[in-house]
Amino acid sequence: MPRVQRRGKTPTRERRTAACGVTDAGSQQARGGSRCLAVREQAYSAQQRQRTPSRTSVPSTRGTSAAAPSTIVEDVMGFSNSLLTNAAAFVQDYILPAVTASVPISAAPNIHALSNSRSSDGLPDLQSWLQVFRHSLPTFHAHAAQDVNMPDGTRKVQADAFAAEFEGALASLSADPTMELAGHQVQPLNCKTLCALRDNCLSNAGFTDVFLSVKVKENADSLLLLPALLLELDAVTDGRARLELALRGVFSGNIFDLGAAASAELYEAGGGSFADTRAQLLSRPWAVDHLDAFLGRCEAGPAYAKAVMFVDNAGPDVVLGMLPFARELLKQGTKVILAANSGPSINDITAQELQPVLLQASVGDAVLQGALHTGALSVMASGNLLPVIDLLRVSSELAAACVGVDLVVLEGMGRAIETNLNALFSVDSLKLGMIKHPEVAACLGGRLYDCVIKFDRAQA
């Protein structure tokens, strides 16, 4: 399988840290607080532009010795994953999304920026997405006001400062979507830049990780439930039924998402237990329902050799959802890389947080212990700093580790649905998530708390 030639030096925002033995690209910068995320993204983008000689889209040459294609990939919300070229230096052509000449354009993601009118394909308009971010503001403000990492006497004042700046920025963009905002990189206006705007406003007010205490608590609570869940799964003797149960657990865990107003309100109200949520998942068919296709592929074999799984939230999402799913793949002989964020954003787990959680989860479980001992299971930092992901910007370490990957798993509303649902890969891909934004549900013709499982075979 051909690899993209690496050119130039690895970007300075990507480096190894010794903490927890995790390869963590950019995590120290991500926690800097005083350094604005927008500045870091601008510097990184400048490095990428220097390495990118062309923005011309050409047919794929994968499988030959020719250079990898320049490709534009666009998501369901109008967020471009940027040009993917051999000049990206550290990215493998087989791990990144690719739209090739053999794929009809109707099967490719849509390419456009957010606008004030609903597009012909039914995508939400700009005002709808601005409303999504407005609805998230009370949750972020409340957690900022309770952030124990901020001095007691200044929490409320700084939380109010964050809310005022973010609310003002959204109002300005609502009035003029093309405007530039001082200190922020908001153009082109899309999901990624709106997420970065929110994190930047938190950083400007002195906040670095306002959901940290929630993540710690939910990780600890979920670890207590994990042994019984693994026993339940192991008691299911039929492999197909066991894998389906694990996948249903992924959807159940993914409801723990404090970036969406609906699920945040559910959490604050006490929510439901993991078992209850799993038992009460909406009936099939789901908004996107390729469950049978994926189960059939796994049942028919051969087992996947290596999977990279981009995980989402802390707590039940990763501990009770993605980890048991990864364990099922490990039992089939698949090597698994768990790729987590390099720095904090919402209640998404970071690689540095995931490593000790994984070690605790493995205590008393022979499958997880054995996989960690042999290196079949590992944690890596993705290089990502947001709740959505631009696959062009994965860390160089992760890209190198993905040699031999034949299954890409993207999990969560931000990574799997809102930024990569229509991305096509040169290996099999699986997108998993629960819909917690009514605007996204309407876009997909689904229901709030509907499930998405999209399985695509490798694109030639």
Side-chain angles (χ1 to χ4, degrees):
M1 184 173 292
R3 295 174 57 187
V4 175
Q5 295 297 314
R6 299 167 185 249
R7 300 179 183 176
K9 297 180 180 180
T10 301
T12 56
R13 75 190 286 267
E14 299 173 353
R15 58 185 181 275
R16 293 181 182 271
T17 62
C20 301
V22 179
T23 301
D24 193 357
S27 63
Q28 293 179 358
Q29 291 181 358
R31 299 175 191 276
S34 60
R35 188 176 184 188
C36 180
L37 177 62
V39 174
R40 288 182 275 134
E41 291 290 345
Q42 288 168 357
Y44 188 83
S45 297
Q47 290 175 323
Q48 289 301 98
R49 286 194 296 271
Q50 291 173 2
R51 292 193 175 98
T52 306
S54 170
R55 287 184 176 271
T56 303
S57 181
V58 297
S60 173
T61 54
R62 180 180 174 272
T64 72
S65 59
S70 297
T71 310
I72 295 178
V73 176
E74 197 80 16
D75 64 36
V76 73
M77 288 176 51
F79 153 48
S80 172
N81 261 353
S82 306
L83 290 168
L84 312 178
T85 70
N86 60 320
F90 52 79
V91 183
Q92 314 300 331
D93 65 339
Y94 55 85
I95 191 64
L96 291 171
V99 180
T100 68
S102 62
V103 180
I105 190 64
S106 60
N110 302 282
I111 301 176
H112 64 82
L114 295 178
S115 68
N116 274 319
S117 60
R118 182 174 292 275
S119 60
S120 59
D121 51 16
L123 299 183
D125 59 22
L126 168 65
Q127 297 301 327
S128 295
W129 283 116
L130 291 175
Q131 191 66 8
V132 166
F133 282 85
R134 287 192 193 96
H135 285 160
S136 74
L137 185 52
T139 298
F140 281 76
H141 178 266
H143 283 271
Q146 299 168 14
D147 187 359
V148 296
N149 295 311
M150 179 70 70
D152 194 17
T154 62
R155 287 177 202 160
K156 180 65 165 60
V157 173
Q158 294 308 108
D160 290 345
F162 150 69
E165 183 182 11
F166 186 47
E167 192 168 28
L170 293 178
S172 297
L173 292 171
S174 178
D176 181 5
T178 65
M179 76 178 302
E180 299 286 349
L181 294 178
H184 300 287
Q185 183 180 337
V186 295
Q187 300 300 334
L189 189 58
N190 53 46
C191 179
K192 178 190 173 186
T193 53
L194 286 171
C195 287
L197 170 64
R198 182 172 57 195
D199 281 359
N200 290 344
C201 291
L202 282 166
S203 179
N204 289 344
F207 297 101
T208 57
D209 192 358
V210 298
F211 295 97
L212 177 59
S213 60
V214 178
K215 291 188 291 182
V216 171
K217 177 184 182 301
E218 291 300 323
N219 284 339
D221 290 349
S222 298
L223 284 167
L224 294 176
L225 299 176
L226 181 62
L229 175 61
L230 297 184
L231 286 174
E232 179 190 13
L233 287 168
D234 288 345
V236 180
T237 57
D238 181 78
R240 182 185 177 108
R242 187 172 60 248
L243 183 57
E244 178 178 347
L245 188 61
L247 287 167
R248 286 178 175 270
V250 171
F251 300 131
S252 304
N254 193 232
I255 201 171
F256 177 55
D257 183 350
L258 300 184
S263 50
E265 291 171 2
L266 186 65
Y267 175 78
E268 295 298 335
S273 70
F274 175 83
D276 288 344
T277 302
R278 189 182 63 183
Q280 296 169 15
L281 291 177
L282 294 183
S283 60
R284 298 179 63 194
W286 295 319
V288 180
D289 194 337
H290 297 175
L291 175 62
D292 293 333
F294 180 68
L295 294 176
R297 161 60 183 85
C298 292
E299 192 173 35
Y304 288 106
K306 190 175 185 180
V308 57
M309 306 175 75
F310 291 88
V311 299
D312 189 10
N313 303 302
D317 194 359
V318 67
V319 176
L320 304 179
M322 289 300 284
L323 190 52
F325 175 39
R327 184 173 176 268
E328 287 303 309
L329 294 182
L330 289 167
K331 288 161 67 175
Q332 296 175 12
T334 305
K335 295 181 178 179
V336 176
I337 299 171
L338 298 175
N341 267 12
S342 295
S345 187
I346 319 182
N347 60 311
D348 292 15
I349 197 163
T350 67
Q352 286 188 326
E353 294 162 349
L354 180 55
Q355 182 71 11
V357 167
L358 183 57
L359 291 175
Q360 292 176 66
S362 69
V363 174
D365 185 78
V367 175
L368 295 178
Q369 280 187 343
L372 286 172
H373 179 73
T374 62
L377 177 62
S378 61
V379 174
M380 298 198 73
S382 66
N384 188 49
L385 302 171
L386 296 171
V388 297
I389 191 165
D390 179 348
L391 291 171
L392 175 62
R393 300 186 179 189
V394 298
S395 68
S396 55
E397 294 89 349
L398 177 60
C402 284
V403 172
V405 160
D406 53 359
L407 176 65
V408 177
V409 180
L410 289 151
E411 187 251 349
M413 190 166 60
R415 292 165 185 79
I417 301 174
E418 294 175 349
T419 54
N420 289 289
L421 182 64
N422 295 321
L424 301 175
F425 293 77
S426 55
V427 297
D428 287 3
S429 63
L430 185 68
K431 291 92 176 240
L432 301 167
M434 177 180 279
I435 301 172
K436 290 145 291 189
H437 287 149
E439 295 84 356
V440 175
C443 169
L444 296 177
R447 304 153 288 180
L448 190 64
Y449 302 123
D450 214 336
C451 302
V452 168
I453 175 167
K454 191 170 191 291
F455 177 57
D456 292 306
R457 301 306 301 267
Q459 301 297 305

